[in-house]
Amino acid sequence: MTVDVLRRPALVDRRACLAVAVLFFTNGALFANLLPRYPQIKADLGVGNAAYGLAVAAFPAGAVVAGLAAGVLVRRFGSARVAVGGTLLTGVGILAAGLADSVAVFAGALFLAGAMDAFTDVAQNAHGLRVQRRYGRSIINSFHAIWSIGAVTGGSMAAAAIALGVARGPHLLFSAVVFAVAACVALRYCLPGPETDAEPAADGDGDGEDRAPAPARGPATGLRTGWVLAALVLIATAGTLVEDAGMSWATLYLSDSLHATAALAASGYVALVGAQFVGRIVGDRLVDRFGQRAVARSGALIAAVGMGCALAVPTVPGTVLGFAAAGFGVATLVPAAMHEADELPGLRPGSGLTLVSWLMRLGFLLSPPVVGLVADATSLRVGLLVVPLAGMLVLVCAGVLRPRRD
């Protein structure tokens, strides 16, 4: 370890770190305010599981359609501005979805929110990796942990609003305004200047001078890089499949299949993202000690076994614990895949990150309609087998991740 890594980050970098954390928090909280409202929206619209699954798939569909444009926007306007602009428009889409009076309007609003969320996701991760390079050590898992805090906060806000009988419109308007203001304030403290191929490490004296350049990337390795990138996409997609199970189906499964109250049903999603937060908080230390490969495989096993047991013996407490195990197990998968892809040789800086972020959203796109169709044909309990299956997929693909460093 070099002396540069051990130095205290400059004040501008510490402020930028806090600003990125706020962006991740608002991104997690915004959509989480809508998710516990899904059963009410589904009931008001009078649709079945298959139609509901197709409608909520509009969110990842918007992200897939818009995802590749994120890199262009980041290079043109800067990652911080794109992240904040996407946050504002995501809030608009979520509010419109909550107020929708037809399936078409609901799906269209989710499509807009998903497209804007894709811009925010790529931009905030790009800016977070800029800050990480200036810090000279891994902090990306911590940013994703803050996202989980935001998701828990948003889900808890929604659960409280439901329990208090607050209508969807005022609740979601309040959420959109509060988090829009927070994102705009954070923009002031993000890193200045355009996006660059390499971000220097901070010297620690607060003046931003005398910074050492980031290490150069290795040479291109052709076909092997392509195979590794494909495996990283599968790992990230497995993580999104589990997250989507919590976002789209946890509340419905607990309320409809297990007959939990509306407020209690929201605890399935909150448990998933809460445990995911814990996994991400400890993730950097676990990776440093055991290696990303071992952490991913262990987490995949926890997710598969935990959710598998919950589905085998369905109870409300057991299901909440099962979603918690799934969230903890996949906690580091998406940050790991993004970081590894961003470091792949033979790719322009940011290209691997954009591709993984874009392609992993296919999991969000395909999961809701597939689970919905399976649920209508059999039961939602069978449809949620996607969670343990995703864990098995990670066990197969985790060999591309870095082992423990001696």
Side-chain angles (χ1 to χ4, degrees), residues 8-114:
R8 181 176 174 82
L11 179 60
V12 65
D13 299 331
R14 297 197 301 273
R15 287 177 172 173
C17 182
L18 179 59
V20 173
V22 170
L23 294 177
F24 271 83
F25 179 89
T26 58
N27 183 243
L30 269 174
F31 193 47
N33 267 276
L34 177 65
L35 294 175
R37 295 287 193 171
Y38 273 0
Q40 295 175 341
I41 295 173
K42 179 175 178 288
D44 289 346
L45 296 178
V47 296
N49 287 325
Y52 166 79
L54 289 171
V56 298
F59 186 91
V64 169
V65 170
L68 287 181
V72 177
L73 291 175
V74 165
R75 288 190 291 271
R76 175 69 177 83
F77 299 105
S79 55
R81 290 190 180 94
V82 173
V84 173
T87 297
L88 302 183
L89 293 175
T90 298
V92 172
I94 288 172
L95 176 60
L99 297 176
D101 58 1
S102 70
V103 175
V105 173
F106 178 59
L110 287 180
F111 186 91
L112 170 65

Side-chain angles (χ1 to χ4, degrees), residues 347-365:
L347 297 177
R348 291 178 57 191
S351 297
L353 169 64
T354 300
L355 284 171
V356 167
S357 179
W358 180 61
L359 290 173
M360 77 176 186
R361 290 179 179 271
L362 290 175
F364 282 122
L365 175 62

Side-chain angles (χ1 to χ4, degrees), residues 115-204:
M116 297 304 102
D117 181 74
F119 295 157
T120 300
D121 184 45
V122 172
Q124 69 186 8
N125 275 284
H127 207 78
L129 289 172
R130 280 188 67 187
V131 176
Q132 177 172 276
R133 285 190 287 271
R134 293 168 72 99
Y135 265 59
R137 56 183 170 85
S138 176
I139 57 175
I140 192 66
N141 277 304
S142 297
F143 288 139
H144 284 261
I146 297 299
W147 183 94
S148 297
I149 295 178
V152 171
T153 301
S156 300
M157 288 171 61
I162 293 170
L164 294 173
V166 179
R168 290 198 297 270
H171 160 220
L172 294 175
L173 177 61
F174 174 80
S175 167
V177 171
V178 167
F179 297 123
V181 171
C184 290
V185 172
L187 178 61
R188 178 181 179 183
Y189 299 99
C190 288
L191 292 175
E195 308 301 306
T196 57
D197 284 357
E199 196 72 38
D203 65 357

